[in-house]
Amino acid sequence: MEASHHLILLGSALVLLSIFAGVFSARFGAPLLLVFLGLGMLAGEEGPGGIRFRDFHAAYLIGSIALAIILFDGGLRTDPNAFRRALWPSLALATIGVLLTAAIVGAATVLLFSTSWTRGLLIGAIVAPTDAAAVSALLHLRRLELRARVAATLEVESGINDPIAVLLAVLLVNLLEVPAALSGSSIIALLAWELMGGAAFGIGGGYLLLALINRLEATSGLYPILALAGATALFGAAQTVGASGFLAVYLGGLILGGHRHRATQVINQAFDAFAWLSQIVLFLMLGLLVTPSALLPILGPSLAIAAALMLLARPVAVALCLLPFRYTVPEIAFISWVGLRGAVPIFLAIIPVLAGLPDAAIFFGVAFIVVLISLILQGWTVAAAARMFDLDVPPLQQVSRLDIDLPGRLGDENTVAGYRVDARCRAVSKAAEALPLPPTASVLVVIRDGVARSAASAPPLAAGDYVLALTRPQDLALLDRLFGPRSRADDRGLLGEFAFDGTTTLAAIANLYDPTAATNGAVTLAEFVASRFDGTPAVGDRTRFGAVELIVRDMQGDTITQVGVELDPAPEHAWYSWFQRLRRLLE
């Protein structure tokens, strides 16, 4: 009993210390996951904490649950539009990209250290996948706003690239245990079942969970528990039959997060906490597993493998996968650099340990060092890299909005949103009935100084007023723009030096800035820019037109409303022209 009490106290103290250390270190731009990992090492057997933890079976169990929760939360947070925009590029990275990365790292390992191809490829498979927790933490916690398709590609790739790496790792471990030739058809069959089975479990389980939440009448506190149990059950069921539980929980979260239901707000808020707790526990535990003195003999080889991964394998794989999708050189370079490694490679390195391979500790140590280097170098420089490649956009203005869930089917079609009117918003000084609302939206009540008035009797809106509006969930973004502060591009002119309405003709821009540019006089700026991004543009997307660069500055729904013009875009260097010619050949 006393030991149990000590364990509870110690575990709680570590979590509290992680929170305080994370808040403090964030001021210096340190990646929080690196802080959690470092605290775990300090608490370990060779640190001041002196805790001896070598139970890899428990680590695998805890890691599986934590990763399932993190991936489910990642799916909940993924915008369905962003998922559709980045699906095919991300799928290429999650399949071909992982295979290429594993192969290049494996070849580098064989050449550098004269090991067998099976061991080299196993190391490549372990370190190949990017990590959803690391990517999500960096993009969301740093409040870093990237061009939409770049951010979507990074997030979706990290959510769906685990199945290939897991399958490769398991196959290679089996080969090391019992050397035997595997036919190509059997490997393809296993891979197809991993992907197709995981997708089937994820989509089917996501819709089943959505139906259960909408049909079950329960107290609000039970809905997050239902979603949590559903996510872990989905993961366990898929893994039990040999499908990818990682893919299943991500897609299940995507299905639930992409549909309005009676518990949207309470589940999203609860899973924010669940995911944070899972990340803290996961990285603390992985830090406890490590014996720093055992890492010293393999430090040099591990650094070489990390360099081969970050400077060769990842850039080559990303470039070859994204070339057919018209990604620019800066976008490819940034996605290559921000291929963050986190808990997943260390988790995969537990598989050789559980299999009882004689040199399993080496795989685990190499994976740990690679993750550590990735978090330090790539994690600490992500904001600087975004600025260097000119891929950041002005941060979204925070709008003060409270969503009120409506019961039953009414909540599927409508929601009540409460806003505090900002002094700089477009609604100030306008009558509630005169606001440019979508046809399906209406102001229910205006509250000023504690007094509620209908839209018809309320005076013109002023800063500090509260507005309750009934609207469809898909129109919330338009209301956010109306009641939130006006967006301001920063001093670097991220969205262009001048702004034009999306209906402005391309010929007018040519007459102003480059009369030699060939154009169809009837084409508008919005139509031209949208065509360059396959009809799915996003704020911050850029494209060349003659001597200038056109930038998506503002959108309403899927329609471009404002286009910025950059008069002095970065020059197209010779290597960039060569890259463009190569891309056109591949198309």
Side-chain angles (χ1 to χ4, degrees), residues 97 100-109 111-112 303-320 332 336-337 341 378:
L100 285 172
T101 302
I104 295 173
V105 172
T109 303
L111 292 175
L112 289 171
L303 292 176
I305 291 171
L309 171 66
M310 292 188 291
L311 302 179
L312 178 63
R314 172 72 178 178
V316 169
V318 170
L320 292 178
I332 290 175
S336 299
W337 182 246
R341 271 63 192 176
Q378 296 173 307

Side-chain angles (χ1 to χ4, degrees), residues 144-407:
L144 183 62
E145 294 293 336
L146 301 172
R147 295 188 197 174
R149 72 169 178 171
V150 173
T153 302
L154 287 169
E155 292 192 61
V156 175
E157 177 210 1
S158 66
I160 64 176
N161 69 358
D162 298 325
I164 298 291
V166 172
L167 177 64
L168 278 178
V170 171
L171 288 176
L172 291 165
V173 167
N174 289 337
L175 283 176
L176 288 174
E177 283 186 294
V178 183
L182 285 176
S183 65
S185 59
S186 62
I187 294 176
I188 292 174
L190 286 171
L191 177 58
W193 174 239
E194 279 265 337
L195 295 176
M196 295 175 64
F201 269 92
I203 295 172
Y207 278 110
L208 177 61
L209 188 57
L210 178 65
L212 285 174
I213 291 172
N214 278 329
R215 291 177 180 271
L216 185 65
E217 295 283 351
T219 181
S220 61
L222 288 178
Y223 289 113
I225 300 174
L226 173 62
L228 178 64
T232 52
L234 192 57
F235 177 84
Q239 290 288 106
T240 299
V241 299
S244 173
F246 298 105
L247 181 60
V249 290
Y250 179 79
L251 292 178
L254 183 71
I255 296 297
L256 187 63
H259 292 79
R260 189 78 181 175
H261 52 80
R262 66 170 65 203
T264 297
Q265 191 171 0
V266 67
I267 287 178
N268 289 348
Q269 290 175 345
F271 262 88
D272 190 31
F274 292 160
W276 266 114
L277 180 60
S278 298
Q279 291 183 41
I280 292 173
V281 170
L282 179 59
F283 279 84
L284 282 175
M285 179 194 70
L286 295 176
L288 285 172
L289 280 175
V290 173
T291 305
S293 61
L295 300 179
L296 293 178
I298 59 172
L299 181 60
S302 300
L303 292 176
I305 291 171
L309 171 66
M310 292 188 291
L311 302 179
L312 178 63
R314 172 72 178 178
V316 169
V318 170
L320 292 178
C321 289
L322 297 186
L323 271 170
F325 297 100
R326 300 183 181 180
Y327 280 67
T328 66
V329 171
E331 288 172 340
I332 290 175
F334 181 78
I335 292 172
S336 299
W337 182 246
V338 191
L340 290 167
R341 271 63 192 176
V344 173
I346 304 176
F347 177 77
L348 290 180
I350 294 177
I351 296 176
V353 178
L354 295 180
L357 295 183
D359 51 357
I362 294 177
F363 296 110
F364 187 82
V366 169
F368 188 88
I369 293 173
V370 168
V371 168
L372 204 61
I373 297 300
S374 177
L375 289 175
I376 291 173
L377 291 182
Q378 296 173 307
W380 226 309
T381 59
V382 61
R387 289 193 295 269
M388 181 177 73
F389 292 117
D390 202 20
L391 293 176
D392 55 335
V393 297
L396 297 176
Q397 299 293 329
Q398 297 297 313
V399 58
S400 177
R401 187 185 84 201
L402 173 66
D403 293 333
I404 303 173
D405 289 326
L406 297 176

Side-chain angles (χ1 to χ4, degrees), residues 2-60:
E2 187 175 353
S4 299
H5 299 159
H6 288 166
L7 185 60
I8 293 171
L9 176 61
L10 183 60
S12 302
L14 280 175
V15 172
L16 288 171
L17 184 60
S18 299
I19 294 172
F20 294 136
V23 171
F24 178 76
S25 63
R27 299 178 181 178
F28 303 98
L32 289 184
L33 303 184
L34 177 63
V35 174
F36 301 153
L37 200 62
L39 282 175
M41 295 177 66
L42 290 175
E45 59 180 315
E46 292 188 352
I51 301 173
R52 180 176 176 80
F53 178 70
R54 306 296 297 169
D55 191 341
F56 283 89
H57 288 88
Y60 186 85

Side-chain angles (χ1 to χ4, degrees), residues 412-423:
D412 295 338
E413 301 173 359
N414 295 281
T415 185
V416 173
Y419 292 93
R420 185 180 186 276
V421 179
D422 188 272

